[in-house]
Amino acid sequence: MSITIKTPEEIAAMRIAGRLASEVLDHVTPFVQPGVTTEELDRICHEYITQVQGGIPAPLNYAPPGYTPYPKSICTSVNHVVCHGIPGNKVLKRGDIANLDITVIKDGFHGDTSRMFIVGGEAAGSILARRLCTITYECMWLGIAQVRPGARLGDIGHAIQRHAEAAGFSVVQEFCGHGIGRGFHEEPQVVHYGRPGTGVELKAGMIFTIEPMINAGKRHISELPDGWTIVTKDRSLSAQWEHTCLVTETGVEPLTISAGSPAIPAIVADRFAA
Ligand code: MF3
Ligand code: CO
Ligand code: CO
C-alpha cells in the first residue's frame, strides 16, 4: 500500500470519526480524578463509544503482526509510561500525569486523538510535569503548523524535535504518527524528529496523525512483559498529545477537535489566528 489521497466522501466521514474521538475525551475528563482506576476510565469510554456514539473502540482486540490482541478499549499511559498503557487496577493519585488515547471507528473510518491530564488539576503537578505536558502540547502544534501541500514530513519532525530538545527533553524514536482512514495505521510513518526539506512531500487529501512522545529524561524505552506497555528506560516522565490532521489545499485541518479541546497554544498563533 501507498499513501492514499482521501476523496471528499472519505474526508467527510473522517471529520465525523475525528470529532467523536475528541468528544470521548471531553466526556471522560470530569472522571479523571484522584482515586479513579484506569479500568474505570476504560469502562466509561467504552460505554460512551458503543452506547452513545454508535462507534467501535479501535484498540479492543487490535492485533498488529507480532502483537497479542490489545485487551482494552483505550490506552492509559501514566507518568513514566510512554504509550500503550493497558487500563487495569492502577489508582490515579494527585499529581500523576496521564495520557488517555482514544481511537473510534465510525462508519468504517478511524479518528485517533490523545490528551494529557494532570490528576487533581494543573496546580497539583510538579513544575517538571507541568512543563513537560505544556512543551509536548506545543511540539504537537508546531508539527501541525508545518502541514501544507508541498511541505515534507521532515519539516514536521524537525519542528517537534527542535522544540523538545531546546527545553532539555528528548523525542521517542520507536513510535510515530501514521496515516489513518479505513485503516488504523496506514502509510506514511510520521516520525517526530528529522531534517527540514526531507521525506515524503505532503499533498492535499492526505490524512495522518501527529502524536509526539516526549521524555523528561533520555529518549530510550523498554517494553513491559505484557507485550504492550512502553516505559522510559530511565523511568523519567513521558508525555504525549495526538491529533488526526487533514492536508487541505491551503494548509491543515485538525480533525480531532471538539468543544472540550484545549486552546491552540500562543506559540503557533501566527499560523492559526482565530
Ligand atoms: N492510539 C494509538 C496510536 O495513536 C495506538 C494504540 S494501539 C493499541 O497510534 F492497541 F494499543 F490500542
Ligand atoms: Co495514532
Ligand atoms: Co492514538
Side-chain angles (χ1 to χ4, degrees):
M1 272 299 281
S2 51
I3 304 172
T4 61
I5 301 298
K6 268 65 178 179
T7 65
E9 294 74 24
E10 290 170 330
I11 291 168
M14 287 296 287
R15 284 199 179 98
I16 292 170
R19 178 176 45 78
L20 290 178
S22 188
E23 286 176 352
V24 176
L25 288 168
D26 296 354
H27 176 73
V28 75
T29 294
F31 299 96
V32 183
Q33 297 289 342
V36 78
T37 65
T38 51
E39 67 197 355
E40 286 174 294
L41 298 176
D42 179 74
R43 182 187 54 77
I44 288 162
C45 294
H46 180 92
E47 287 183 0
Y48 193 73
I49 294 166
T50 58
Q51 295 174 30
V52 177
Q53 297 185 328
I56 298 167
L60 188 59
N61 299 315
Y62 182 59
Y67 284 80
T68 62
Y70 188 78
K72 295 288 182 181
S73 294
I74 69 170
C75 297
T76 52
S77 301
V78 182
N79 293 336
H80 63 283
V81 178
V82 173
C83 63
H84 304 166
I86 301 173
N89 59 11
K90 184 180 179 60
V91 178
L92 296 185
K93 62 177 196 304
R94 187 178 156 81
D96 283 345
I97 60 168
N99 175 277
L100 270 55
D101 192 341
I102 308 291
T103 311
V104 172
I105 309 172
K106 180 71 175 179
D107 297 329
F109 290 87
H110 292 70
D112 188 7
T113 186
S114 79
R115 298 181 196 158
M116 292 304 296
F117 296 83
I118 299 179
V119 180
E122 190 72 21
S126 69
I127 288 172
L128 176 64
R130 290 158 63 172
R131 194 165 144 267
L132 179 65
C133 293
T134 299
I135 293 284
T136 304
Y137 188 59
E138 291 174 347
C139 282
M140 175 185 68
W141 275 104
L142 285 165
I144 293 171
Q146 295 299 317
V147 176
R148 59 169 66 80
R152 290 176 182 270
L153 286 178
D155 300 335
I156 299 172
H158 176 75
I160 292 168
Q161 180 176 26
R162 183 178 131 124
H163 191 58
E165 292 181 354
F169 299 148
S170 66
V171 178
V172 171
Q173 297 194 354
E174 292 83 352
F175 295 88
C176 54
H178 49 92
I180 183 167
R182 284 193 180 275
F184 192 165
H185 294 106
E186 300 182 352
E187 286 181 44
Q189 295 196 17
V190 181
V191 300
H192 302 110
Y193 57 90
R195 295 202 332 273
T198 66
V200 169
E201 184 179 333
L202 306 185
K203 296 190 164 53
M206 291 180 178
I207 300 182
F208 51 81
T209 71
I210 297 177
E211 50 179 301
M213 282 145 273
I214 306 298
N215 298 345
K218 295 198 185 345
R219 69 170 182 83
H220 306 92
I221 58 164
S222 317
E223 186 182 302
L224 296 189
D226 64 24
W228 279 102
T229 307
I230 304 298
V231 298
T232 54
K233 197 168 187 190
D234 62 10
R235 300 301 191 261
S236 64
L237 292 176
S238 186
Q240 179 177 29
W241 292 80
E242 176 175 23
H243 271 314
T244 298
C245 300
L246 165 70
V247 185
T248 64
E249 297 293 340
T250 53
V252 60
E253 178 183 337
L255 301 180
T256 36
I257 298 284
S258 60
S261 297
I264 297 173
I267 197 164
V268 295
D270 56 333
R271 178 77 203 283
F272 300 101

